[in-house]
């Protein structure tokens, strides 16, 4: 079974600085999708960024980028120019969508605090 | 509607009671997922609907949990004889099916269930 591990329960960053959140996963598949979701106190999971495993180029979305190391099964999220609104829980997730619409497998999350 | 809507937002019930949690997905989304998020954990898969049928209910913890989606739109998660261990946030997500490959899952704000 696939597993996702986030080894940092909590992280903090100064406003305008850069922070990196770690994620490792375990799978025997070669093609799959990886995601980072943000969950603010409102509880709604918001997609931050996604990466297709067959793409070598790391995904970027404005201030958010990933470092995808397929061989190491590592998928870290870098947040640049951190803003107060970035404070939230961040979840790394895996999905293998090639046999029906399979569900997301989530890590336990990292709580990010942004210090003004 | 514009997004996934879940009602109620919060529910407090007594141990042993029956509860229903409702999810109204984005119009036209054929795939619907229920997840359970316990305190300090990431969401865990419960059940997946493709249209009206439950395509995968392997995540339901026991036979006290049941879900329906009779018309392929709104879904109801039903919990009988609630126990204190059922206390959690129940998240619903929907996505548009387009064959194999990734389709983004959109989440509701969840229902926080507290069993006292």
């Amino acid at each position: 079974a696939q597993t996702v591990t986030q080894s940092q329960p909590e992280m903090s960053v100064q406003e305008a600085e850069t922070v990196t959140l770690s994620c490792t996963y375990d799978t025997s598949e070669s093609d799959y999708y990886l995601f980072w979701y943000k969950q603010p106190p409102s509880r709604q999971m918001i997609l931050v960024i996604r990466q297709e495993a067959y793409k070598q180029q790391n995904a970027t979305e404005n201030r958010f980028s990933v470092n995808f190391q397929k061989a190491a099964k590592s998928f870290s999220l870098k947040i640049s120019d951190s803003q107060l609104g970035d404070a939230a829980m961040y979840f790394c997730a895996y999905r293998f969508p090639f046999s029906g619409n399979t569900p997301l497998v989530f890590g336990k999350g990292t709580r990010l605090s942004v210090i003004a | 509607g514009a997004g996934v809507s879940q009602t109620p937002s919060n529910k407090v019930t007594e141990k042993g009671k029956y509860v229903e949690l409702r999810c109204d997905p984005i119009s036209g989304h054929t795939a619907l997922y229920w997840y359970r998020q316990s305190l300090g954990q990431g969401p865990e898969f419960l059940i997946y609907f493709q249209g009206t049928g439950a395509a995968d209910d392997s995540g339901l913890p026991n036979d006290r949990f049941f879900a329906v989606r009779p018309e392929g739109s709104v879904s109801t998660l039903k919990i009988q004889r609630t126990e204190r261990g059922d206390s959690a946030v129940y998240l619903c997500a929907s996505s548009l099916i387009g064959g194999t490959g990734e389709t983004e899952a959109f989440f509701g704000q969840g229902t926080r269930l507290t069993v006292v």
Side-chain angles (χ1 to χ4, degrees):
Chain A
Q2 294 85 7
T3 58
V4 176
T5 301
Q6 293 179 250
S7 59
Q8 305 155 317
E10 297 184 354
M11 292 284 284
S12 62
V13 61
Q14 292 280 348
E15 195 175 8
E17 297 296 309
T18 295
V19 64
T20 298
L21 308 184
S22 301
C23 172
T24 59
Y25 59 94
D26 187 23
T27 183
S28 58
E29 305 294 344
S30 59
D31 287 331
Y32 46 85
Y33 292 86
L34 296 166
F35 307 85
W36 279 97
Y37 279 88
K38 172 184 178 181
Q39 187 179 41
S42 69
R43 301 194 304 246
Q44 186 172 22
M45 301 287 277
I46 301 166
L47 179 64
V48 173
I49 197 165
R50 78 176 195 186
Q51 174 81 42
E52 292 93 335
Y54 61 87
K55 290 186 177 179
Q56 293 184 335
Q57 186 173 8
N58 288 325
T60 63
E61 286 287 343
N62 300 314
R63 298 183 294 107
F64 300 87
S65 61
V66 298
N67 183 3
F68 174 47
Q69 301 291 325
K70 190 173 183 179
K73 297 181 181 175
S74 171
F75 183 62
S76 61
L77 174 69
K78 185 171 81 171
I79 306 174
S80 303
D81 186 26
S82 297
Q83 300 175 359
L84 294 176
D86 295 334
M89 286 291 296
Y90 286 81
F91 291 94
C92 179
Y94 163 100
R95 183 165 171 262
F96 176 69
F98 299 107
S99 61
N101 207 351
T102 51
L104 292 157
V105 177
F106 288 90
K108 290 188 176 183
T110 296
R111 182 177 301 280
L112 178 66
S113 302
V114 181
I115 303 164
Chain B
V4 179
S5 175
Q6 291 189 247
T7 54
S9 180
N10 294 281
K11 175 71 176 178
V12 179
T13 191
E14 292 181 348
K15 179 176 176 297
K17 298 290 188 182
Y18 167 84
V19 296
E20 290 189 350
L21 312 180
R22 175 187 169 108
C23 173
D24 197 344
I26 292 172
S27 178
H29 281 193
T30 55
L32 185 147
Y33 298 87
W34 283 98
Y35 293 85
R36 180 168 71 174
Q37 186 175 17
S38 301
L39 190 64
Q41 303 292 318
E44 294 179 323
F45 168 71
L46 293 177
I47 186 169
Y48 155 55
F49 287 90
Q50 176 55 260
T52 60
D56 183 356
D57 64 357
S58 62
L60 294 178
N62 52 60
D63 61 5
R64 295 186 298 104
F65 288 74
F66 189 71
V68 295
R69 195 186 185 197
E71 298 178 355
S73 178
V74 172
S75 176
T76 304
L77 178 65
K78 308 180 180 191
I79 310 174
Q80 299 177 323
R81 304 183 304 280
T82 52
E83 300 177 356
R84 293 195 179 86
D86 299 334
S87 298
V89 173
Y90 289 82
L91 294 166
C92 176
S94 71
S95 66
L96 182 65
I97 294 294
T100 57
E102 174 53 19
T103 56
E104 181 179 348
F106 293 85
F107 283 81
Q109 292 186 320
T111 293
R112 182 182 299 280
L113 175 66
T114 304
V115 182
V116 297

